Amino acid sequence: MTATTPPSPSPSPARAGADADDAALAELGYKPGLKRTLGNFHTFAAGISYISILTGTFQMFYFGVSLGGPAYWWSWPLVFVGQLMVALCFCELAARYPVAGSVYNWAKNLGGPHVGWLAGWMMTLASMVSLAAVALALQLTLPQISSWFQFVGDGSGKYDAAANAVVLACGLILFTTLVNAFGVKLMARINTAGVFIELVAAVILIILLAAHITRGPSAIVETHGIGAGQNLGYFGAFLTASLASAYVMYGFDTASSLGEEAVDPSRNAPRAILRALIASFVIGGLILLCALLATPDLSAPELSVDGLQYVVLSTLGDTMGQALLWCVVIAVVVCELAVHTAGIRLMFAMARDNNLPGGSRLARISPRFQTPIAPAVVCGLVAIGILLVNIKQPQIFSVVTSIAIIMIYVAYLLVTMPMLVRRLRGTWQPAPGRFSLGRFGLPVNILAVLWGAGMTVNLLWPRAAVYNAAAPYHWYLRWGGVLFVGAVTVGGFAYYWFVQRHRTGVLADHAAEQQDTDPTTTPGTTAAATG
């Protein structure tokens, strides 16, 4: 009697899916090193917490109302439509390239290593500046809850608000650095709980504000005479005020930047990107609309100083108002956590290609926590440094935020423009069986590029109201956005061209096994060229 060998058990669907995810990563030249633990809701939470409607609306409402009046609300749907075009392009890319450091790797695969490096450089710096900018939002909320949180002065001094904002922000950055250093699982748990609280609080806020509406929808076409006597009239004022909306609706690519730590990212990431952007648009638009219709006085000077915090406290009373403001604080914390997480993945992705100084150290994954710790520390230290340099800058909020957003819009352009070139040449192919724009791909891509270019110019425009709204008045402050972004772009690329590009290549510790490598290469040196 002949013995038969029992058939080996087939892998579970989860294991088969993970193998497929790792195979897709191997096609890009990398072997898996990060731990896949994030589900569909985790990736959605990462995207929506980066956008963070409560953080953005409460941080920038005063800016939009003061520069555009109630009619600035219309910039919200305008920015959404523009960003939706970008997000749709990103959905195709997330399905085709489910990899960490999404913007960097997308630009590299679409436009080559030089374009990829510049996009990654801009996005990495933007993430660190954003880390500083988002943390500043605590100053706009915590002192409104209690004067105990005003540690520097009493808030009436010229630099009290700016200096206290830096103190609060540094504490928050220290917290997010520690959380990210302990692994993605802890980050995901905190982020998911925070997003749940934020969404519930946002819905409650909409309902309560709607219950206190005192005027009709016609109020959101009021301009209060803003723009009169200016060259472009109200249109010019509206373009400036629209920055308040542009400052909020970005970062949806974070859902795909966690592609190496998510399950089935090529399918889940595109869904998460769209869900995060659409949910943010609907919820944020309703909050802003109800706030404008419920505020006791649309001409109150407090609207241009304390913003949405004033509306909540004056409309809902101290008890309910402060409870909701605590939810805003939670939203700021999880937003900061998401921004930090995205910055770490970008830095890790570039370091893995030996595209940053000290690449081998920055790309090292902790064997205990299975996360790159060095990038978490570097991102946190740079963000704190940015805050300390600007500690006596009264317009620190608008300046730091503006510079961060400009670099992100430029980085997005470095993805959508090469993608458009590939479409025009007929060489772009979406992932089979995954998200695809089909015949709408070309017009959507064209609109994404036009939108990104137009908003970049709008953000860079040297307006005194944005870059030098308070004394001292100096030309270099007014042109701060152009000068800083220009220096970062030219200086950064010069460094890459003359120094870093000669070292570029996937580190041996991270190269896929099937990739041909130099047998003399040791861990921590380059093994194969990227791009």
Side-chain angles (χ1 to χ4, degrees):
M1 185 173 181
T2 304
T4 58
T5 303
S8 53
S10 58
S12 66
R15 181 65 260 167
D19 291 341
D21 295 338
D22 292 344
L25 187 62
E27 290 180 9
L28 297 173
Y30 306 115
K31 68 179 180 182
L34 302 174
K35 188 176 182 179
R36 293 191 184 277
T37 57
L38 305 182
N40 194 15
F41 185 80
H42 292 128
T43 53
F44 163 74
I48 201 167
S49 62
Y50 195 120
I51 299 173
S52 189
I53 287 306
L54 289 184
T55 301
T57 53
F58 275 81
Q59 187 175 19
M60 300 310 302
F61 180 82
Y62 83 96
F63 183 89
V65 170
S66 62
L67 296 177
Y72 109 90
W73 182 88
W74 293 100
S75 68
W76 190 259
L78 174 68
V79 170
F80 167 72
V81 172
Q83 291 295 73
L84 179 62
M85 299 300 103
V86 178
L88 288 170
C89 292
F90 283 7
C91 286
E92 276 196 336
L93 288 163
R96 181 72 179 83
Y97 304 116
V99 61
S102 49
V103 168
Y104 160 69
N105 274 301
W106 295 344
K108 182 184 71 176
N109 283 279
L110 292 170
H114 305 329
V115 174
W117 188 90
L118 187 58
W121 169 249
M122 298 293 286
M123 196 69 184
T124 300
L125 286 180
S127 296
M128 292 187 286
V129 179
S130 292
L131 194 63
V134 170
L136 291 170
L138 288 180
Q139 175 63 24
L140 301 177
T141 302
L142 282 176
Q144 296 274 0
I145 295 175
S146 172
S147 59
W148 284 97
F149 294 106
Q150 184 65 42
F151 300 112
V152 180
D154 58 3
S156 61
K158 182 178 181 180
Y159 301 117
D160 285 2
N164 196 71
V166 171
V167 172
L168 295 174
C170 288
L172 178 55
I173 293 171
L174 177 61
F175 170 76
T176 59
T177 301
L178 292 173
V179 170
N180 274 293
F182 279 106
V184 70
K185 197 167 185 179
L186 175 61
M187 181 281 298
R189 286 175 177 172
I190 296 174
N191 195 52
T192 300
V195 166
F196 178 77
I197 293 172
E198 180 176 5
L199 292 176
V200 171
V203 172
I204 293 173
L205 177 60
I206 292 170
I207 294 172
L208 292 176
L209 288 175
H212 289 79
I213 286 177
T214 60
R215 58 184 62 84
S218 61
I220 59 173
V221 298
E222 294 182 15
T223 63
H224 291 175
I226 295 174
Q230 299 181 14
N231 292 334
L232 296 177
Y234 182 73
F235 180 67
F238 180 79
L239 287 177
T240 306
S242 68
L243 302 185
S245 298
Y247 289 163
V248 181
M249 278 187 276
Y250 71 96
F252 37 81
D253 57 290
T254 305
S256 58
S257 197
L258 296 170
E260 295 179 39
E261 295 155 279
V263 177
D264 198 7
S266 62
R267 187 182 301 276
N268 290 333
R271 298 173 181 172
I273 290 172
L274 288 181
R275 287 170 181 169
L277 182 60
I278 293 172
S280 299
F281 163 68
V282 173
I283 295 172
L286 289 174
I287 288 175
L288 295 175
L289 177 62
C290 292
L292 289 168
L293 301 184
T295 187
D297 182 8
L298 280 175
S299 301
E302 290 87 352
L303 280 179
S304 300
V305 179
D306 298 327
L308 204 50
Q309 288 86 339
Y310 160 75
V311 176
V312 170
L313 292 174
S314 62
T315 303
L316 306 181
D318 287 343
T319 302
M320 180 57 69
Q322 290 193 9
L324 288 170
L325 291 186
W326 274 115
C327 293
V328 173
V329 172
I330 293 173
V332 173
V333 172
V334 295
C335 178
E336 183 79 349
L337 195 57
V339 172
H340 206 154
T341 301
I344 292 167
R345 270 61 192 172
L346 274 162
M347 187 174 288
F348 166 77
M350 293 189 73
R352 180 171 57 183
D353 285 350
N354 203 31
N355 257 332
L356 290 175
S360 60
R361 293 183 179 181
L362 291 172
R364 188 174 299 153
I365 298 174
S366 167
R368 179 179 179 184
F369 301 112
Q370 292 188 287
T371 189
I373 294 178
V377 176
V378 172
C379 284
L381 290 177
V382 172
I384 290 173
I386 292 170
L387 291 172
L388 293 177
V389 168
N390 291 279
I391 195 167
K392 288 191 175 183
Q393 178 67 276
Q395 52 263 44
I396 185 172
F397 303 99
S398 60
V399 172
V400 174
T401 305
S402 298
I403 289 173
I405 307 305
I406 292 167
M407 290 193 292
I408 288 174
Y409 271 77
V410 172
Y412 283 3
L413 268 176
L414 291 172
V415 173
T416 56
M417 288 179 68
M419 190 179 193
L420 179 58
V421 171
R422 292 277 295 271
R423 287 188 194 277
L424 293 173
R425 291 176 177 173
T427 58
W428 168 248
Q429 293 294 330
R434 293 293 187 260
F435 185 94
S436 174
L437 293 172
R439 66 179 183 274
F440 297 105
L442 182 59
V444 167
N445 205 158
I446 291 173
L447 290 173
V449 171
L450 292 175
W451 163 256
M455 187 52 75
T456 299
V457 172
N458 190 29
L459 284 161
L460 277 172
W461 202 261
R463 300 177 177 91
V466 177
Y467 295 103
N468 200 189
Y473 299 104
H474 298 297
W475 69 269
Y476 54 83
L477 290 177
R478 183 163 180 170
W479 287 82
V482 176
L483 294 173
F484 183 86
V485 176
V488 164
T489 304
V490 175
F493 195 75
Y495 165 78
Y496 167 75
W497 186 260
F498 292 109
V499 179
Q500 198 64 44
R501 73 186 177 101
H502 303 295
R503 307 170 181 172
T504 297
V506 182
L507 295 173
D509 287 346
H510 298 275
E513 292 181 2
Q514 69 267 30
Q515 192 169 349
D516 293 331
T517 61
D518 183 347
T520 63
T521 301
T522 55
T525 61
T526 55
T530 57

